[in-house]
Amino acid sequence: MDMSAVRLLLLFLLCSHFVSLCHGACSEVDSDTEAVAGKGFKLGCISCKMRPEVEASATVNWYFKAKGEAEFAHIYNYDEEGPHIVDERFEERVDWNGSKRSQDIQDASIYLFNVTFNDSGTYSCHFHRLLTYEFYEYQTVVSKLVHLKVVAKATRGTASIVSEVMMYVSIIGLQAWLYIEMVYCFRKISAAGEEALRESANAEYLAIASESKDNCAGVQVAE
């Protein structure tokens, strides 16, 4: 394999990597922490993989510790078989709001219906992730906390608004950067391909010229 082909192969692999990143873009954003009694509320929990190209599967468990309680109680589980409400206090009040149609869960958010003041407290979200490499598997556990406060009337603070705006800005910025890198890579591949064609054409021309010269020399000798 000549150097031109090697360069093309490396550029192709690099661009394929950026394409996979673009499809699997993930941004970790903290959950809101203030819910309104009688309304619905999204408990956010996002854990992005460090290497998006690595295959993975994950299960998720949610735990809740109400104000005044000392221990966390297991309230919700999500695995390859789907969602399971474990704590009867949340029966028919919790719905999965995270990653769908994939076992590679990075968004484990849940939606809580008909919030009550008794829902105030600390929620803990646990990712049990299995990373699959070519020759081995590796397990990780990631946990995140959400301190939820239930109020009678919405008092959305500036921090919550800024957090949401920054989430969309970071996602859009990441997608734009990946798109620019992808276009740059494909342009490099195109330029390298044209260079390889020129080198091939020059080599062929030199070979033909050399052969013609040898033929002329042979004719002169024969004369």
Side-chain angles (χ1 to χ4, degrees):
M1 183 180 293
D2 60 19
M3 291 303 296
S4 297
V6 171
R7 288 199 300 270
L8 283 172
L9 178 60
L10 290 175
L11 284 170
F12 175 77
L13 292 175
L14 180 61
C15 286
S16 298
H17 173 68
F18 278 117
V19 170
S20 66
L21 287 177
C22 191
H23 285 290
C26 176
S27 178
E28 295 190 11
V29 180
D30 292 336
S31 173
D32 284 338
T33 57
E34 185 177 277
V36 179
K39 304 291 185 179
F41 181 78
K42 178 181 177 180
L43 287 165
C45 181
I46 300 176
S47 173
C48 300
K49 293 186 302 184
M50 296 299 294
R51 296 178 57 185
E53 75 277 8
V54 176
E55 293 185 3
S57 60
T59 59
V60 175
N61 290 285
W62 277 89
Y63 300 85
F64 172 60
K65 183 174 68 174
K67 286 185 176 180
E69 295 183 355
E71 302 292 335
F72 279 93
H74 189 195
I75 64 171
Y76 189 84
N77 167 258
Y78 190 92
D79 54 26
E80 65 276 4
E81 296 180 358
H84 309 278
I85 298 176
V86 180
D87 194 313
E88 62 182 9
R89 291 176 295 179
F90 295 88
E91 194 68 38
E92 297 184 355
R93 290 207 302 128
V94 177
D95 190 29
W96 180 252
N97 200 232
S99 302
K100 295 179 174 62
R101 296 183 295 276
S102 173
Q103 294 185 17
D104 185 5
I105 300 171
Q106 299 186 74
D107 183 353
S109 302
I110 57 176
Y111 194 83
L112 184 61
F113 295 96
N114 191 25
V115 174
T116 70
F117 289 102
N118 291 330
D119 295 327
S120 294
T122 303
Y123 292 81
S124 180
C125 166
H126 293 243
F127 286 85
H128 297 265
R129 178 173 288 138
L130 179 65
L131 301 170
T132 304
Y133 297 91
E134 185 175 359
F135 299 110
Y136 67 97
E137 294 179 335
Y138 183 73
Q139 289 186 335
T140 64
V141 178
V142 177
S143 62
K144 294 178 177 291
L145 294 177
V146 179
H147 301 283
L148 181 63
K149 176 183 178 182
V150 179
V151 297
K153 185 179 180 180
T155 57
R156 189 180 186 190
T158 303
S160 175
I161 298 174
V162 171
S163 176
E164 185 172 345
V165 171
M166 289 304 298
M167 176 187 71
Y168 290 112
V169 169
S170 63
I171 292 175
I172 294 172
L174 178 61
Q175 294 282 3
W177 177 76
L178 290 173
Y179 177 77
I180 292 171
E181 289 289 346
M182 185 175 63
V183 170
Y184 172 77
C185 280
F186 281 115
R187 286 184 175 178
K188 291 287 288 184
I189 287 178
S190 177
E194 293 177 358
E195 182 181 354
L197 288 175
R198 286 196 299 269
E199 290 178 357
S200 177
N202 290 336
E204 185 176 353
Y205 172 78
L206 292 174
I208 294 174
S210 178
E211 183 178 356
S212 299
K213 183 177 179 181
D214 292 341
N215 289 338
C216 289
V219 171
Q220 291 176 356
V221 169
E223 292 176 352

